[in-house]
Amino acid sequence: KQEVTQIPAALSVPEGENLVLNCSFTDSAIYNLQWFRQDPGKGLTSLLLIQSSQREQTSGRLNASLDKSSGRSTLYIAASQPGDSATYLCAAYSNSGYALNFGKGTSLLVTP
Amino acid sequence: DAGITQSPRHKVTETGTPVTLRCHQTENHRYMYWYRQDPGHGLRLIHYSYGVKDTDKGEVSDGYSVSRSKTEDFLLTLESATSSQTSVYFCAMGHPEGGELFFGEGSRLTVL
């Protein structure tokens, strides 16, 4: 079974900082990896999807990278804003499974 | 238009009562999923469906059943609710192998 781990579990940064969220997975035979954002009491919003053949994806201030050989993905947030405060989840789909396997998330607080 | 909706959004029930949660999608996705989200456990797959009348178990399926009689509707049933089934339930649609998963807003269930 694919195991997904996210470090750190919580992070607090001042506004304007660039930051990196980490995700590791145990099965390198993945089809894709997806990053989500979850606001309190809300559902999950897809941020970025990286296919196994890709190394990174970018959307605005967000950049996600994928290194299958090391079993790692990172989400880079540039020039953080208080509105970025949320829980960020990564999830991997491997060809040994049938659904996305999720990490437990990183809770991000950006202070003004 | 959200594309995927869940009902009810909130429910309080008593132990031993049957409960059905409904997920409705308007995007004609073949694959649909039910996850539960609990503190300390993250998101865990309960059941999924890969077509009308085609369903399979996830990692935490005990005590749950599902049905899919139409492409657009995926029902999750707790035959006899227990306190351990107090959770937030999320429905999702989309095929993770090829693309993104999209989530509903969640259904918060409390079993007293």
Side-chain angles (χ1 to χ4, degrees):
Chain A
K1 178 183 177 292
Q2 176 76 273
E3 300 288 342
V4 180
T5 303
Q6 291 187 247
I7 295 174
L11 181 64
S12 180
V13 300
E15 180 178 7
E17 274 203 9
N18 302 324
L19 58 100
V20 174
L21 306 181
N22 296 295
C23 173
S24 62
F25 47 93
T26 55
D27 185 355
S28 62
I30 64 170
Y31 279 120
N32 59 50
L33 188 137
Q34 198 167 349
W35 282 92
F36 294 88
R37 168 184 172 139
Q38 185 176 29
D39 293 291
K42 300 293 187 180
L44 281 70
T45 300
S46 179
L47 296 174
L48 290 165
L49 170 71
I50 312 175
Q51 300 287 357
S52 62
S53 58
Q54 299 172 321
R55 285 193 170 266
E56 64 179 280
Q57 281 286 337
T58 298
S59 176
R61 295 182 294 109
L62 305 180
N63 176 275
S65 66
L66 175 64
D67 184 343
K68 289 194 301 179
S69 61
S70 66
R72 297 176 64 180
S73 176
T74 61
L75 179 66
Y76 174 83
I77 303 176
S80 58
Q81 304 170 358
D84 294 330
S85 298
T87 296
Y88 291 81
L89 296 155
C90 76
Y93 180 62
S94 63
N95 57 14
S96 62
Y98 36 69
L100 282 178
N101 295 109
F102 281 84
K104 295 180 181 178
T106 294
S107 178
L108 174 65
L109 176 65
V110 181
T111 56
Chain B
D1 183 4
I4 182 168
T5 56
Q6 296 181 226
S7 60
R9 295 290 314 282
H10 301 273
K11 186 173 182 65
V12 179
T13 192
E14 295 189 348
T15 298
T17 305
V19 175
T20 295
L21 305 180
R22 178 182 184 239
C23 180
H24 179 77
Q25 57 130 332
T26 58
E27 306 298 320
N28 203 36
H29 280 291
R30 182 180 164 201
Y31 281 74
M32 297 182 75
Y33 304 83
W34 277 107
Y35 286 87
R36 61 178 288 176
Q37 185 176 38
D38 304 287
H41 290 280
L43 277 142
R44 294 178 292 175
L45 182 69
I46 305 171
H47 280 280
Y48 70 103
S49 169
Y50 48 96
V52 174
K53 292 185 169 50
D54 292 322
T55 64
D56 207 347
K57 298 178 180 180
E59 63 179 302
V60 291
S61 60
D62 287 347
Y64 301 95
S65 63
V66 290
S67 65
R68 188 145 178 227
S69 59
K70 298 184 291 184
T71 298
E72 56 266 36
D73 290 326
F74 191 31
L75 304 181
L76 177 70
T77 297
L78 292 65
E79 300 290 347
S80 178
T82 67
S83 58
S84 65
Q85 294 176 311
T86 292
S87 186
V88 180
Y89 292 85
F90 287 99
C91 177
M93 64 180 180
H95 194 330
E97 179 180 337
E100 297 173 86
L101 275 197
F102 300 94
F103 281 77
E105 288 291 312
S107 296
R108 182 175 295 275
L109 175 67
T110 301
V111 183
L112 301 176

